[in-house]
Amino acid sequence: MAPPRGLPLALVAVATCAFACANRSAYDFTPDSMRHEVVRRVGDIDPADVVVPFEVGAPAIAHAREMLAGVPAGEDRIDALVSSLSDPAGFGLHYEWATSGTAAETLERRAGNCLALSSTLIGIARGLGFRAWYLEVIVADPQWRTEGDLAVQADHVAAVIDSGEKRLYVDFSGRLLGARRVRPIDDFEALAHYYNNRGYETLHRDEVMGSEVRWEEISRDFELATRVHPAHARAWNNLGVARARQGDDTGARLAYEKSIEIDPETQSAHLNLVALFLRAGDLDRAARHLDLARRLEPRNPQIERLTDSLTQSAANRWAASER
């Protein structure tokens, strides 16, 4: 179930060596330097079309500076900055789980999901001279939805702000407390999360509206995620779903297998391979991936459904052989 719409939730944790020893240069790109690097990595994209999720305008930085004007230098300034995001006299932002966007879009809408709000906080914090970067949060109950017989998966992202005197871990949905794994990510991996989430939410929006699903546009977003950050396992899985829905089962299989190569615990990719191999009549490989998926999370409701499908396919094959 999606967290309710409400105010951002800030969580504080003690710094660990994993974060304290992070290479600063990997987490403080400017919008212009990031555009240049994305063009270098992706190739066929106009720099003007490159999305920089954390880019904010000078008025937002100026407003944040005004909000912090009366706060003494030191660790309280980080707390004041985080509070200003939800303060109606500040930025008046609130959490909406299905609203992706850049920092600029989020400030205009006054709402966004975990990535959108994290990007907004990071962009403003950097504009004020703080160090700030993204965290990838792997939770025990990830957000994913079924699309027919396939599973599409979204991500959860939080933020870190460091003043040199204090480090604050900020999560906007409360899921950081139930995290299975947390790690710092650079701006390019965060951009891959942005494209992955945008594709996921375009699919969600089209289905809710009952309109034709824009698979070509969705596929482009998932592909951009894999090109900006080729080690993004969930984006490879989702690209496989988009390819399958466009009739490219070979491309889908390669994408699912790439997802599993990167992260063998991507259960959705295993389940999607089960569905693909069932359609192809390859019951042995379907059974193998179903077993791997069951070991990862046996309570997933898709396990039972795909087990029934595999059992029925095996029974049909046996009956055909007996004729």
Side-chain angles (χ1 to χ4, degrees), residues 275-305:
L276 187 150
F277 288 134
L278 280 173
R279 289 197 305 273
D282 191 339
L283 303 190
D284 289 340
R285 285 204 281 184
R288 184 167 75 250
H289 283 282
L290 183 59
D291 182 56
L292 290 169
R294 185 180 290 109
R295 293 180 193 178
L296 291 171
E297 175 48 76
R299 295 169 298 178
N300 189 314
Q302 277 201 297
I303 297 288
E304 183 177 356
R305 184 178 60 79

Side-chain angles (χ1 to χ4, degrees), residues 207-226:
E207 290 184 336
V208 168
M209 297 296 293
S211 57
E212 183 177 352
V213 177
R214 292 164 284 174
W215 282 116
E216 186 173 343
E217 178 182 333
I218 292 167
S219 181
R220 174 65 174 165
D221 275 344
F222 291 151
E223 184 178 356
L224 279 170
T226 65

Side-chain angles (χ1 to χ4, degrees), residues 3-4 26 53 57 63 75 82-83 88 111 132 157 176-177 186 189 192 263-265:
H63 184 48
E75 63 182 40
V82 172
S83 297
V157 175
L176 187 60
L177 288 175
D186 66 24
E189 190 165 355
D263 182 359
E265 294 189 5

Side-chain angles (χ1 to χ4, degrees), residues 157-168:
V157 175
V160 181
I161 310 176
D162 190 333
S163 68
E165 299 165 331
K166 181 176 183 177
R167 182 167 295 177
L168 191 68

Side-chain angles (χ1 to χ4, degrees), residues 122-144:
I122 287 169
I124 294 173
R126 290 181 183 178
L128 294 174
F130 296 120
R131 288 191 65 199
W133 61 91
Y134 296 90
L135 287 177
E136 180 188 63
V137 181
I138 305 299
V139 295
D141 56 336
Q143 277 185 4
W144 60 336

